[in-house]
Amino acid sequence: MPGMPGMPGMPGMAPTQGVPPGVQQQQQMQQQQPVQQQYQPPGFPQQQQMQQPMQQTMQQTMQQAPINRYQPPYQPGQPQNGQQGMQGMQGQQGQQGGPAPPSKHRINPDQIPSPVALHEIDQNTYASAPYMTMSRTVPPLAASRFTVFDNGNCSPKFFRSTLCNIPITEDMLNTSALPLGAILQPLAETDPGDTPVPLADFGALGPVRCNRCKAYVNPFFQFVQGGRRFICNLCQFDNEVPTEYFENLDMNGRRIDINQRPELLYGSCEFTVTPEYSARPAKPVSYIFAIDVSYNSVKSGMLATCASALNHFLYSGEYTLPVGATIGIITFDKAVHFYNLKPNLDKFQMMVVGDVNEMFVPLSHGLLVDPAASKNVIQSLLEALPRVFANTTVTEPALGAACQAAFEALKASGGKLSIFQTALPTFGPGALKSREEEKILGTDKERQLYEPQEYFWKKLGEECAVHGINVDTYFFPNAYIDVATIGALSALTGGDSCLYANFDAARDGEKFANDLQRTLARRFGFDALLRVRVSNGLKVMGYLGNFYSKNNVDVELAGLDSLKSYGVILKHDGKLDEKLDIYLQAALLYTTAEGQRRVRVHNLSLPATSQLANVFRFAEMDTSINYFAKMALTQMVTTPLKTVRDQMSQRCVKVLASYRSNISTQSSPGQLILPESYKLYPLYVLSMLKTRSFRIGRTIPSDLRVYSMRVINSIGVSESVAYMYPTMYDVSEMDPSVGEINEYGRLKLPPVLRASAERMNSQGMYLVENGRHMFLWLGRDLPAHKLQAIFGINAIQQLDITQRRLPVIDSPESDQLRTIVTYLQNYRARFMDMVILRQSLDPTHEIRFHNFMVEDANLDNLSYVDFLVLIHKNVQSETSSTSR
């Protein structure tokens, strides 16, 4: 049977083998209760429980090494004492949709599960040691910074399963109420110390594949009969090895060339492919920028900001376009303007198509050009655009016609279209009407606004997806703009969407420019097809995310970058064999931005188990929350929002009740028992309910809600953790070492506090960020010497809160804080502009800031403490009803 690829090696050294046939993996079944956290409500006697010490055994040898799949040497985030007691898990039950009345017995918030403490433990664990992908432990938390050494399984930065031990039957999975799925981020960026994804070139042969299931060669293929045949790890089919790929086996059953075969050593590998893998000749990516030049665009400063940002991206030297890439620029108002940018021209030539209902591209050459060769012409155009349209009075942009023109220009080769839109397109093809009425917000009818109102846009998005045209949309509305309809172009093609409500160039220009430049600079692939294959006994039921798919087998991706993720819905297709590992293989066929056709393959090996305790013990919380959120979004169009919210809370109750009823059966009924792996589940459910996607109320415009839905549907696990639970740094009195490089080569950050206003004081200063937005909160009693050292002012009332950057002051405090802010802005994938606000002086900003305090009662939702009380009561009710 297939074995595990060799021993974990040291970074920089290749593992000793791929899959030696002689290695036998023997299971050691250990019956042990998972680590628990116990909470004791008032009125119930404290129950004393003895926790057996965890046996930490993981032996790996070159041959016939027994592998303990169920007890890893260390489970990230696991407290050493195994359990934590807390008094006060009983109080007044409030309604989930509104604030709860004060609890009679107040729970100490310090005694309830904290993501801050969990992340600190996990980060310390991986500060100096790499994560070995075949270590059979739960992967590091997604919020941690860690180095990955790929020794057979792919990195968790690419592929994460919701369960790291797969239950052998569907009944067992249903009993647990846990999700079975995975989150895939195929082009995720890796850190410098990580094992890079190697490139294998098989020449005219193409990648070796299984003849039955078409799985790609990987470390878990088992070579037999002297190397003449191999057994597929996914379907167990016995295949003949192609003559060109044949190699003899050594005495241990390993291929002699194992160390020269990256596809047999590493869990992730890219393959160059032969022409039959391409529907059209592969060529470097082409970019078209379609810019709204109507009155709103000019007045808000968007046009000037966009032109300046593009000029900086193309010619500042800070960014580099792929070799061979071409660009084109289209502008539009009630007409569509094309620009001849041939390098031999002294000045750009503008051609106007006024009949937008009969759109065509008037240029056969000169629309798409080499940006280096046409530098002078392109720069002259970008500098001239704000002047050319400075006096425009046109208020109706014909966006549909511009998109049709861009599609015609790109459909032969594929590429990326970036749209910059400031108003609802009410003129020309695909003209839209304003359909948002305040009276339907917060009602069941609101979900009609989540779908495109005009078929034109859905059809255009599907055509772009089929032809490999990835669409990014940038919205700058001062009124309803119908993100659901226009943004469908991005949702169907796997593109990005950015929303800048009431855009003001002085306030929002830096964020927009950075967002645009970072989007264009990311690793990018286009004209892609994604398929996930799984072992016998499992099947793929579908996918989650922003994409176009004609079936549940393949995902057609017009384009994707390093931040895009996709959920994989898995289901049992029979009983699994506990003696065999379960395998998942994700294969992404795509064209690189440089024009190379490749297949990127990620392999994941997971053990099967018949022990429900191990299913819970090795569940992966971060991945599950991302998966739950994406699943919930699929119901938003067909199901009332209140029902979706109730289902999210009920799922939490069922998981915890299952653990209580099946695992922690000896506990007192008055204790809330949380599985170690899922102890933050209630908090993350509450955080999801407070996002714009799932929040109830009439205060959220449909554009903002749909935009939030599209964001959650596309982000990966690490991004979703920060998005759900913002990070709050205490920058009031920082140690001198903060802002310096520590012994692990990383910047030391300030202390992190829980996201609650109760952790703040009026003399303090706090920096809060969620990966997309950043706030610097100043207490009203902040000492004068701090104000002078950081802002150069003597009183907090003198502060200019419109500034988005800290002033440069010659003081240690200023240097330290600016270092922290700059580091966080660079560390996060999305640019975060910083909003400065003062306690009790800036009410609008304070409302937004306190919405980030997810542990507090806000946004018509309970506080974390009261929500935990509510969950506990419902768990008690669930367990009592099932035991009758």
Side-chain angles (χ1 to χ4, degrees):
M1 58 170 275
M4 116 184 213
M7 289 182 60
M10 295 302 293
M13 298 178 60
T16 56
Q17 65 180 66
V19 184
V23 172
Q24 300 294 323
Q25 298 184 1
Q26 303 174 2
Q27 299 177 321
Q28 298 181 346
M29 307 295 292
Q30 299 186 13
Q31 304 293 332
Q32 180 179 354
Q33 294 290 341
V35 179
Q36 305 167 353
Q37 281 200 329
Q38 303 181 6
Y39 301 103
Q40 180 71 22
F44 291 90
Q46 181 74 34
Q47 180 181 18
Q48 300 295 330
Q49 293 188 354
M50 298 299 295
Q51 179 73 34
Q52 298 295 325
M54 184 179 74
Q55 300 181 10
Q56 302 180 353
T57 58
M58 171 68 78
Q59 300 178 349
Q60 292 180 335
T61 57
M62 287 295 296
Q63 298 181 39
Q64 298 182 353
I67 297 174
N68 181 353
R69 298 178 177 176
Y70 307 102
Q71 298 297 329
Y74 177 79
Q75 183 175 357
Q78 178 176 307
Q80 296 301 311
N81 61 3
Q83 56 186 328
Q84 175 182 343
M86 184 195 72
Q87 299 290 331
M89 184 45 71
Q90 181 171 338
Q92 299 291 332
Q93 179 175 346
Q95 295 299 318
Q96 184 179 317
S103 298
K104 181 179 179 181
H105 301 283
R106 182 65 178 172
I107 298 171
N108 182 359
D110 291 331
Q111 297 299 313
I112 58 180
S114 164
V116 174
L118 191 66
H119 292 163
E120 183 178 0
I121 293 171
D122 192 67
Q123 185 62 80
N124 290 338
T125 301
Y126 294 100
S128 59
Y131 171 69
M132 315 297 288
T133 60
M134 289 301 296
S135 61
R136 300 290 177 149
T137 62
V138 176
L141 296 176
S144 297
R145 294 198 64 181
F146 58 94
T147 300
V148 176
F149 183 68
D150 180 344
N151 62 323
N153 263 340
C154 69
S155 167
K157 296 176 183 179
F158 295 124
F159 208 3
R160 282 178 176 257
S161 174
T162 59
L163 301 176
C164 296
N165 271 204
I166 308 298
I168 61 173
T169 65
E170 186 171 9
D171 288 342
M172 186 177 172
L173 177 68
N174 294 336
T175 299
S176 73
L178 295 170
L180 179 57
I183 299 297
L184 174 65
Q185 195 170 338
L187 295 183
E189 296 289 350
T190 56
D191 290 330
D194 294 346
T195 302
V197 178
L199 177 63
D201 188 351
F202 285 72
L205 172 66
V208 174
R209 304 179 66 178
C210 172
N211 291 325
R212 176 191 285 172
C213 70
K214 300 303 179 183
Y216 290 86
V217 60
N218 64 78
F220 306 101
F221 272 14
Q222 183 181 4
F223 291 88
V224 295
Q225 296 186 19
R228 293 187 296 274
R229 305 191 70 82
F230 70 85
I231 299 174
C232 174
N233 58 304
L234 291 173
C235 69
Q236 305 301 311
F237 186 69
D238 190 330
N239 296 263
E240 182 178 358
V241 174
T243 303
E244 301 89 336
Y245 194 64
F246 171 78
E247 185 56 82
N248 290 309
L249 306 182
D250 64 15
M251 60 184 298
N252 295 315
R254 299 176 302 180
R255 286 176 60 110
I256 293 176
D257 64 348
I258 186 71
N259 290 325
Q260 287 75 50
R261 290 292 184 182
E263 69 274 12
L264 301 179
L265 292 174
Y266 303 112
S268 294
C269 187
E270 281 201 333
F271 302 95
T272 57
V273 294
T274 48
E276 58 263 27
Y277 284 80
S278 303
R280 61 179 68 87
K283 59 176 294 185
V285 64
S286 295
Y287 300 88
I288 287 184
F289 303 99
I291 307 172
D292 177 1
V293 291
S294 65
Y295 175 78
N296 285 335
S297 174
V298 175
K299 181 181 179 182
S300 67
M302 187 281 285
L303 176 57
T305 304
C306 182
S308 175
L310 286 175
N311 193 13
H312 180 84
F313 176 79
L314 293 171
Y315 302 116
S316 68
E318 184 177 349
Y319 304 95
T320 303
L321 275 179
V323 176
T326 57
I327 73 163
I329 296 174
I330 295 174
T331 59
F332 59 95
D333 42 28
K334 291 188 77 170
V336 180
H337 321 116
F338 300 86
Y339 299 91
N340 187 343
L341 302 174
K342 287 181 179 179
N344 59 346
L345 296 175
D346 294 330
K347 185 180 179 182
F348 65 89
Q349 297 175 346
M350 185 171 83
M351 301 180 183
V352 180
V353 176
D355 187 358
V356 294
N357 292 313
E358 297 292 337
M359 183 50 55
F360 66 97
V361 179
L363 287 170
S364 57
H365 301 286
L367 178 63
L368 293 170
V369 297
D370 181 343
S374 298
K375 176 180 178 180
N376 293 334
V377 183
I378 294 172
Q379 283 190 312
S380 67
L381 170 61
L382 294 175
E383 291 169 0
L385 281 178
R387 298 194 305 271
V388 171
F389 296 98
N391 298 318
T392 184
T393 58
V394 177
T395 59
E396 299 177 293
L399 174 62
C403 291
Q404 286 179 323
F407 171 77
E408 290 298 322
L410 291 174
K411 69 178 183 180
S413 61
K416 178 182 279 287
L417 167 63
S418 298
I419 297 169
F420 307 89
Q421 179 74 7
T422 62
L424 187 71
T426 57
F427 181 79
L432 302 176
K433 298 179 180 179
S434 180
R435 54 176 175 159
E436 183 180 74
E437 299 179 18
E438 187 175 352
K439 65 181 180 181
I440 69 172
L441 295 180
T443 68
D444 289 349
K445 292 183 178 180
E446 181 183 342
R447 63 178 186 267
Q448 299 172 3
L449 304 179
Y450 305 160
E451 289 193 298
Q453 63 166 298
E454 176 61 50
Y455 179 68
F456 168 89
W457 296 96
K458 182 178 180 181
K459 180 183 178 182
L460 181 59
E462 292 174 352
E463 290 177 342
C464 286
V466 170
H467 288 84
I469 303 172
N470 178 247
V471 183
D472 292 337
T473 45
Y474 298 85
F475 298 104
F476 309 85
N478 55 20
Y480 178 70
I481 200 171
D482 204 343
V483 172
T485 299
I486 305 173
L489 295 178
S490 295
L492 289 167
T493 63
D496 248 355
S497 283
C498 294
L499 180 66
Y500 310 91
N502 300 309
F503 178 81
D504 177 79
R507 180 190 65 209
D508 307 313
E510 183 181 18
K511 178 170 176 56
F512 162 50
N514 276 276
D515 285 344
L516 173 61
Q517 291 161 3
R518 290 193 185 191
T519 298
L520 295 174
R522 289 189 202 114
R523 178 190 296 274
F524 176 71
F526 65 104
D527 199 10
L529 191 70
L530 174 68
R531 176 179 290 189
V532 175
R533 296 175 174 88
V534 294
S535 291
N536 291 337
L538 290 181
K539 60 181 177 180
V540 176
M541 297 299 295
Y543 298 89
L544 306 169
N546 294 332
F547 55 81
Y548 172 62
S549 181
K550 298 177 181 177
N551 52 58
N552 290 332
V553 178
D554 297 320
V555 176
E556 294 190 39
L557 300 170
L560 72 162
D561 60 32
S562 58
L563 297 184
K564 298 300 180 295
S565 78
Y566 309 94
V568 185
I569 306 171
L570 301 177
K571 183 179 175 60
H572 283 82
D573 195 28
K575 185 176 181 180
L576 304 177
D577 187 345
E578 193 173 6
K579 297 179 181 179
L580 297 176
D581 277 358
I582 305 303
Y583 299 98
L584 285 71
Q585 184 181 87
L588 176 73
L589 173 65
Y590 74 108
T591 301
T592 68
E594 294 77 17
Q596 295 178 329
R597 196 67 173 163
R598 295 181 181 178
V599 172
R600 174 171 284 210
V601 177
H602 299 299
N603 299 282
L604 192 57
S605 166
L606 300 168
T609 181
S610 61
Q611 302 299 310
L612 189 61
N614 287 322
V615 177
F616 275 100
R617 184 178 184 82
F618 292 93
E620 219 279 278
M621 180 78 269
D622 292 346
T623 306
S624 297
I625 287 299
N626 187 292
Y627 181 86
F628 280 136
K630 285 179 166 61
M631 284 290 289
L633 290 175
T634 63
Q635 302 175 278
M636 291 288 286
V637 174
T638 59
T639 307
L641 178 58
K642 184 180 184 304
T643 302
V644 174
R645 287 168 54 88
D646 289 343
Q647 289 174 350
M648 294 166 70
S649 297
Q650 289 166 7
R651 184 65 176 265
C652 179
V653 170
K654 288 185 179 298
V655 169
L656 300 183
S658 172
Y659 183 81
R660 177 59 180 267
S661 300
N662 298 287
I663 308 299
S664 184
T665 57
Q666 303 302 316
S667 304
S668 166
Q671 292 176 312
L672 174 61
I673 307 298
L674 299 174
E676 175 65 22
S677 60
Y678 260 57
K679 64 184 178 182
L680 294 177
Y681 190 17
L683 174 58
Y684 281 134
V685 169
L686 179 63
S687 299
M688 282 195 289
L689 295 175
K690 292 186 177 185
T691 64
R692 285 173 173 165
S693 298
F694 302 111
R695 196 188 313 162
I696 282 181
R698 297 190 174 187
T699 60
I700 305 175
S702 63
D703 278 342
L704 287 179
R705 189 185 296 278
V706 172
Y707 169 69
S708 176
M709 291 164 59
R710 300 259 171 85
V711 166
I712 292 177
N713 219 20
S714 69
I715 58 178
V717 179
S718 59
E719 252 195 295
S720 65
V721 170
Y723 188 77
M724 299 292 181
Y725 191 91
T727 305
M728 179 162 69
Y729 298 96
D730 185 352
V731 295
S732 307
E733 295 290 343
M734 291 185 283
D735 186 273
S737 63
V738 171
E740 302 290 338
I741 302 299
N742 63 18
E743 64 270 29
Y744 307 118
R746 292 173 179 164
L747 193 81
K748 183 175 180 180
L749 295 173
V752 178
L753 305 178
R754 300 173 70 154
S756 171
E758 294 182 0
R759 308 285 168 167
M760 304 160 62
N761 68 74
S762 63
Q763 293 184 329
M765 185 165 53
Y766 305 91
L767 189 66
V768 179
E769 56 90 10
N770 73 343
R772 289 177 173 262
H773 305 281
M774 178 185 290
F775 294 92
L776 180 62
W777 185 92
L778 310 178
R780 60 174 173 265
D781 300 321
L782 189 67
H785 72 273
K786 282 286 183 184
L787 292 170
Q788 183 64 45
I790 296 174
F791 299 101
I793 58 177
N794 297 317
I796 198 169
Q797 291 80 7
Q798 299 172 352
L799 183 66
D800 178 13
I801 63 168
T802 62
Q803 60 185 325
R804 290 293 186 264
R805 287 183 174 270
L806 292 170
V808 178
I809 306 293
D810 186 14
S811 70
E813 293 89 344
S814 174
D815 292 342
Q816 194 176 39
L817 186 56
R818 284 187 290 109
T819 297
I820 298 301
V821 171
T822 302
Y823 169 80
L824 292 174
Q825 288 176 328
N826 292 333
Y827 172 67
R828 294 297 189 189
R830 314 275 180 175
F831 180 78
M832 303 180 294
D833 64 338
M834 184 178 63
V835 175
I836 303 174
L837 67 151
R838 303 161 296 178
Q839 182 185 12
S840 304
L841 293 176
D842 307 307
T844 301
H845 289 329
E846 277 210 286
I847 291 174
R848 289 186 61 203
F849 174 83
H850 284 291
N851 288 348
F852 277 49
M853 301 294 102
V854 293
E855 293 197 22
D856 296 339
N858 53 24
L859 302 171
D860 294 325
N861 283 275
L862 301 175
S863 69
Y864 178 26
V865 169
D866 291 330
F867 187 72
L868 206 53
V869 171
L870 175 61
I871 291 294
H872 176 46
K873 288 181 175 291
N874 289 337
V875 168
Q876 287 180 306
S877 176
E878 178 78 14
T879 53
S880 62
S881 64
T882 55
S883 61
R884 292 183 188 134

